[in-house]
C-alpha cells in the first residue's frame, strides 16, 4: 500500500489532484462571475443615464423646431446648427450600437441579444470585431469620435463648454494607468470580456448624448426663449420733464434701446391705430389748456406666434405756467424701496411745495428731491403736489405704476489679481478666488436700480464620480467650513451649483433667487 500511495500517478493521487484543480477553477469562476455581474450593473446605470440624456435632447430640439416654425428668418441659422448636431450625434450613436451587436453576435451567435448576453466572459469576440487586421472597427471608431469632437467644439463659442467637450471625448490613454497598449482601441478592447467591452461602448454612447446636450443648450441660448429677440440698438432721448417753462432747465435721459427689426408692432392710442410710418411717435393735441390723458396698447407677436398686448396710459399738460414732476426711475415707482422723485415749480421755493401719495409715504429728501415709498400691492398711485405762487394756488396730480422689485442677482464678490473688486454671477472662476471669498451676496444692480439684499441661506450642490448629488447648506450668507473644504477638493474643470438661495429685500420680504453654475478652472 505504501508503494501505491507514494506513486504520483496512482489513481488515488490523480483523483486528489483533479479535485483540487476543480476546486480552484470553481473559485476562479465565482470571482469572474461576480465581476461580470458588476459590469451588468454598470451597464444598466449607463443605459438609464443615456435614456434621460436622449429625452432631454429631444425636448431641446423640439423647442428649437418650434422657434424656427414661428420665426424662420430669425432662428434659421441656429436651427441649422441644431439639426446638424442631432444628425451627427444620432449617426455616431447608432454606429456604436452596431458595434455592440456585432460583438455579442460574435460570441452568442446570430440570435445574440445585447441586453441578455450569454457568454459574458468571452475574451475573443471584442478583439476580433474591434482589432482584427484590415477589418477591425477600432480605428474607425476612434476616427469618428475625433471628427465628432471637432465638430461639436466648432458649434460652441464658449471656452468653458469647449473644454468640457474636449474632456468628455478625450481619446488619450491615461499616462498613469499602467497600460502600455500601442493605441486607444487596443487599450480598450484587447482581450476584454464581452461584458466589459459592451459597457465601454455604452459609456461612449452616454458621452455622445451628453456632448449633444451641451451643444444644443449652447445653441438654444442663442435664441431668446422669451417673446422677442432684439437685434438692433438705437439711441433715444427720454425727457424727464414733460413741460419746460421759463427758468426751468430741460433734462432728458439719453439711452440705448434694443428693438426687434424683424417685427413691426401695432400701436393703438385711444382706439386708433398709429400709422406704421410714424415709427411709434405719437403727437397729441395742445389746443386746450389743462391735463390731457391718453391710453392705448402695443401689440407684438411672441415667439409662439400669439399676440402680446402691453397696455399703457399717460398724460401731459398744456399750460402757461405749471409744475413738473420728473421721476428719476422713468415714470415707475418700485415697492420695498425709497424712490427718488424730482418735484419743482418754477418761481416757488422748494420748501413751499407740498407733495403726497395716495397709497404709501412721501418725504422731502433735500431741495427738489423727494422720496416715494408706495404701498406694497398698490398697482398704481397718484402723486399730488400743491403750492401757492403769486396768490394763485397750483395743484396737480399724476398717476404712476407701482411694480415689485425685479429679482435680485446672487453673486460672489472677490478681488482679482489687479486688486479690483469683481462680482461673479456664474461660469468659470479660479479656485483661489472662491476660497478667498467670504460667501454669497445678492443685489439688484441693472444700471438703474442699485438695491442690496440680505442672503439668509443657500446650498452648494456637488456631484461625486457616480453622479450622486452632495448638498452642503449654509444658514447664512457665509460659506461654511465644510463648503470651503469641498471647494478646495474640486479638480480643475469640475462644477458645482449654488442653489436654494434665499434673501430678504429691503422691506424684509423673503425671495428665492436664481441658481448659479460654477465651473472651477
Amino acid at each position: 500500500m505504501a508503494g501505491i500511495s507514494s506513486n504520483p500517478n496512482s489513481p488515488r493521487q490523480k483523483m486528489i489532484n483533479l479535485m483540487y484543480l476543480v476546486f480552484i477553477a470553481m473559485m476562479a469562476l465565482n470571482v469572474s462571475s461576480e465581476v461580470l455581474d458588476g459590469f451588468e450593473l454598470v451597464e444598466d446605470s449607463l443605459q438609464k443615464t443615456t435614456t434621460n440624456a436622449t429625452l432631454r435632447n429631444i425636448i431641446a430640439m423640439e423647442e428649437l423646431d418650434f422657434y424656427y416654425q414661428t420665426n424662420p428668418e430669425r432662428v434659421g441659422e441656429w436651427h441649422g446648427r441644431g439639426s446638424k448636431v442631432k444628425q451627427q450625434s444620432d449617426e455616431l450613436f447608432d454606429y456604436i450600437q452596431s458595434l455592440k451587436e456585432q460583438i455579442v453576435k460574435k460570441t452568442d451567435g446570430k440570435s445574440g441579444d445585447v441586453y441578455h448576453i450569454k457568454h459574458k466572459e468571452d475574451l475573443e469576440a471584442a478583439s476580433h470585431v474591434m482589432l482584427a487586421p484590415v477589418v477591425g472597427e477600432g480605428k474607425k471608431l476612434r476616427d469618428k469620435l475625433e471628427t465628432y469632437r471637432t465638430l461639436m467644439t466648432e458649434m460652441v463659442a464658449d471656452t468653458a463648454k469647449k473644454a468640457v467637450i474636449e474632456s468628455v471625448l478625450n481619446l488619450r490613454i491615461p499616462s498613469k494607468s499602467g497600460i502600455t497598449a500601442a493605441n486607444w482601441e487596443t487599450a480598450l478592447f484587447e482581450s476584454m470580456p464581452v461584458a466589459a467591452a459592451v459597457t465601454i461602448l455604452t459609456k461612449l454612447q452616454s458621452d455622445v448624448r451628453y456632448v449633444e446636450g451641451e451643444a444644443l443648450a449652447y445653441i438654444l441660448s442663442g435664441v431668446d426663449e422669451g417673446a422677442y429677440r432684439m437685434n438692433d440698438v438705437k439711441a433715444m432721448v427720454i425727457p424727464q420733464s414733460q413741460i419746460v417753462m421759463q427758468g426751468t432747465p430741460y433734462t432728458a435721459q439719453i439711452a440705448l434701446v434694443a428693438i426687434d427689426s424683424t417685427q413691426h408692432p401695432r400701436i393703438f392710442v385711444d382706439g386708433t391705430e398709429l400709422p406704421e410710418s410714424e415709427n411709434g411717435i405719437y403727437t397729441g393735441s395742445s389746443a386746450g389748456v389743462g391735463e390731457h390723458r391718453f391710453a392705448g396698447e402695443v401689440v407684438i407677436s411672441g415667439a409662439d406666434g400669439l399676440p402680446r398686448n402691453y397696455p399703457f396710459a399717460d398724460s401731459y399738460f398744456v399750460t402757461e405756467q405749471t409744475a413738473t414732476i420728473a421721476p428719476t426711475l422713468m415714470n415707475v415707482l418700485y415697492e420695498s424701496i425709497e424712490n427718488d422723485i424730482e418735484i419743482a415749480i418754477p418761481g416757488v421755493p422748494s420748501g413751499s411745495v407740498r407733495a403726497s401719495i395716495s397709497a404709501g409715504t412721501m418725504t422731502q429728501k433735500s431741495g427738489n428731491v423727494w422720496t416715494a415709498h408706495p404701498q406694497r400691492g398698490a398697482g398704481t398711485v397718484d402723486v399730488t403736489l400743491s403750492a401757492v405762487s403769486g396768490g394763485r394756488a397750483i395743484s396737480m396730480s399724476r398717476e404712476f405704476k407701482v411694480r415689485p422689485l425685479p429679482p435680485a442677482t446672487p453673486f460672489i464678490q472677490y478681488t482679482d489679481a489687479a486688486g479690483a473688486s469683481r462680482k461673479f454671477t456664474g461660469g468659470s472662476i479660479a479656485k483661489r478666488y472662491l476660497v478667498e471669498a467670504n460667501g454669497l451676496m445678492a443685489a439688484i444692480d441693472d444700471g438703474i436700480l442699485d438695491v442690496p439684499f440680505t442672503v439668509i441661506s443657500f446650498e452648494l450642490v456637488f456631484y461625486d464620480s457616480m453622479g450622486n448629488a452632495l448638498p452642503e447648506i449654509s444658514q447664512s450668507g457665509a460659506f461654511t467650513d465644510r463648503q470651503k473644504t469641498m471647494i478646495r477638493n474640486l479638480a480643475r474643470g469640475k462644477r458645482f451649483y449654488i442653489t436654494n438661495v434665499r434673501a430678504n429685500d429691503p422691506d424684509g420680504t423673503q425671495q428665492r433667487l436664481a441658481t448659479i453654475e460654477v465651473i472651477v478652472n
Side-chain angles (χ1 to χ4, degrees):
M1 292 294 293
I4 296 176
S5 63
S6 63
N7 183 359
N9 296 319
S10 68
R12 180 174 180 275
Q13 188 63 41
K14 287 180 179 180
M15 182 175 296
I16 292 173
N17 293 341
L18 180 60
M19 290 177 64
Y20 180 78
L21 291 174
V22 169
F23 175 74
I24 295 298
M26 289 177 66
M27 290 180 63
L29 287 173
N30 286 337
V31 173
S32 177
S33 176
E34 291 173 0
V35 172
L36 295 175
D37 288 344
F39 278 114
E40 186 173 354
L41 292 175
V42 175
E43 171 77 13
D44 291 342
S45 177
L46 286 172
Q47 288 287 356
K48 291 177 182 178
T49 300
T50 304
T51 299
N52 292 335
T54 301
L55 292 175
R56 180 194 64 182
N57 297 344
I58 289 173
I59 292 172
M61 197 61 209
E62 288 176 348
E63 189 174 359
L64 192 58
D65 287 339
F66 179 75
Y67 289 151
Y68 176 70
Q69 291 170 6
T70 56
N71 198 330
E73 178 183 352
R74 190 176 66 204
V75 188
E77 178 185 353
W78 300 104
H79 184 265
R81 293 187 189 182
S83 298
K84 188 172 183 179
V85 167
K86 182 180 185 303
Q87 176 190 354
Q88 296 296 321
S89 300
D90 288 346
E91 288 179 0
L92 180 55
F93 185 94
D94 292 342
Y95 170 69
I96 297 173
Q97 185 66 24
S98 72
L99 296 181
K100 291 161 62 175
E101 293 172 355
Q102 290 181 50
I103 292 172
V104 173
K105 288 182 178 180
K106 183 67 180 177
T107 187
D108 288 349
K110 293 182 179 180
S111 61
D113 184 354
V114 172
Y115 304 104
H116 299 88
I117 304 173
K118 297 177 182 178
H119 299 92
K120 303 176 186 177
E121 73 287 353
D122 189 331
L123 301 177
E124 301 294 333
S127 296
H128 180 84
V129 173
M130 303 302 295
L131 306 176
V134 182
V135 297
E137 299 284 346
K139 183 179 183 303
K140 186 187 299 184
L141 173 60
R142 171 159 52 93
D143 292 342
K144 286 181 177 290
L145 286 169
E146 289 177 344
T147 300
Y148 178 75
R149 180 184 62 199
T150 301
L151 175 64
M152 293 302 108
T153 54
E154 290 174 352
M155 287 293 176
V156 301
D158 184 85
T159 303
K161 284 192 178 291
K162 284 180 180 288
V164 169
I165 292 173
E166 291 281 355
S167 175
V168 171
L169 296 178
N170 181 2
L171 303 182
R172 296 188 300 273
I173 301 173
S175 58
K176 297 182 179 180
S177 64
I179 298 175
T180 58
N183 50 50
W184 173 83
E185 57 269 26
T186 301
L188 262 64
F189 298 105
E190 186 176 36
S191 300
M192 188 66 64
V194 168
V198 170
T199 299
I200 290 170
L201 291 172
T202 300
K203 190 264 182 187
L204 291 176
Q205 287 179 309
S206 179
D207 292 343
V208 169
R209 289 306 186 206
Y210 176 82
V211 169
E212 178 189 5
E214 288 289 299
L216 289 177
Y218 175 81
I219 290 170
L220 270 176
S221 70
V223 181
D224 190 359
E225 296 182 4
Y228 322 106
R229 176 175 169 79
M230 305 307 174
N231 59 4
D232 193 14
V233 177
K234 294 183 178 180
M236 295 191 70
V237 178
I238 305 170
Q240 291 184 333
S241 298
Q242 293 182 315
I243 303 172
V244 178
M245 297 175 292
Q246 186 177 3
T248 302
Y250 171 81
T251 59
Q253 182 175 22
I254 300 174
L256 292 176
V257 179
I259 63 174
D260 182 358
S261 64
T262 67
Q263 296 196 66
H264 298 283
R266 302 177 66 191
I267 303 173
F268 296 86
V269 181
D270 294 332
T272 301
E273 185 172 2
L274 200 66
E276 186 177 317
S277 60
E278 296 295 327
N279 293 319
I281 298 175
Y282 168 66
T283 303
S285 172
S286 59
V289 175
E291 182 182 19
H292 292 251
R293 292 181 177 272
F294 62 96
E297 62 180 2
V298 178
V299 182
I300 190 169
S301 297
D304 55 4
L306 299 176
R308 301 283 197 278
N309 296 60
Y310 296 90
F312 61 85
D314 210 338
S315 64
Y316 60 95
F317 285 82
V318 178
T319 183
E320 294 180 355
Q321 184 177 5
T322 186
T324 297
I325 300 179
T328 59
L329 293 181
M330 300 176 65
N331 301 329
V332 173
L333 300 180
Y334 288 92
E335 297 176 352
S336 306
I337 64 171
E338 302 289 344
N339 299 263
D340 285 354
I341 297 179
E342 182 183 346
I343 298 176
I345 301 177
V348 178
S350 59
S352 300
V353 178
R354 299 290 178 265
S356 62
I357 189 170
S358 59
T361 59
M362 287 282 294
T363 305
Q364 191 170 14
K365 190 174 181 180
S366 63
N368 295 336
V369 179
W370 291 64
T371 59
H373 194 149
Q375 181 177 309
R376 186 183 294 273
T380 60
V381 294
D382 292 322
V383 173
T384 303
L385 62 86
S386 61
V388 176
S389 177
R392 183 171 65 91
I394 299 175
S395 178
M396 66 171 291
S397 179
R398 179 145 187 200
E399 183 182 84
F400 291 89
K401 294 180 180 179
V402 178
R403 296 180 177 174
L405 285 173
T409 300
F411 61 89
I412 297 173
Q413 189 159 348
Y414 68 95
T415 302
D416 65 14
S421 180
R422 302 291 185 185
K423 293 181 179 179
F424 172 77
T425 58
S428 298
I429 184 173
K431 184 192 293 186
R432 69 183 184 93
Y433 293 146
L434 292 173
V435 174
E436 293 170 359
N438 294 324
L440 194 65
M441 304 175 72
I444 301 170
D445 186 3
D446 58 2
I448 298 176
L449 294 172
D450 185 8
V451 183
F453 278 52
T454 302
V455 176
I456 58 177
S457 67
F458 64 97
E459 180 177 332
L460 301 189
V461 180
F462 303 86
Y463 291 88
D464 63 17
S465 59
M466 297 299 292
N468 299 312
L470 304 174
E472 290 293 335
I473 299 173
S474 172
Q475 297 296 343
S476 69
F479 288 130
T480 66
D481 292 339
R482 177 64 177 169
Q483 288 174 337
K484 283 287 187 81
T485 300
M486 295 288 282
I487 292 172
R488 289 191 185 95
N489 292 337
L490 286 176
R492 186 175 182 180
K494 293 295 184 179
R495 64 187 64 203
F496 64 94
Y497 297 86
I498 304 176
T499 186
N500 288 331
V501 182
R502 299 186 182 278
N504 289 337
D505 68 14
D507 272 357
T509 301
Q510 186 179 123
Q511 292 187 13
R512 183 171 179 176
L513 308 185
T515 296
I516 301 177
E517 181 186 41
V518 183
I519 303 172
V520 178
N521 63 17

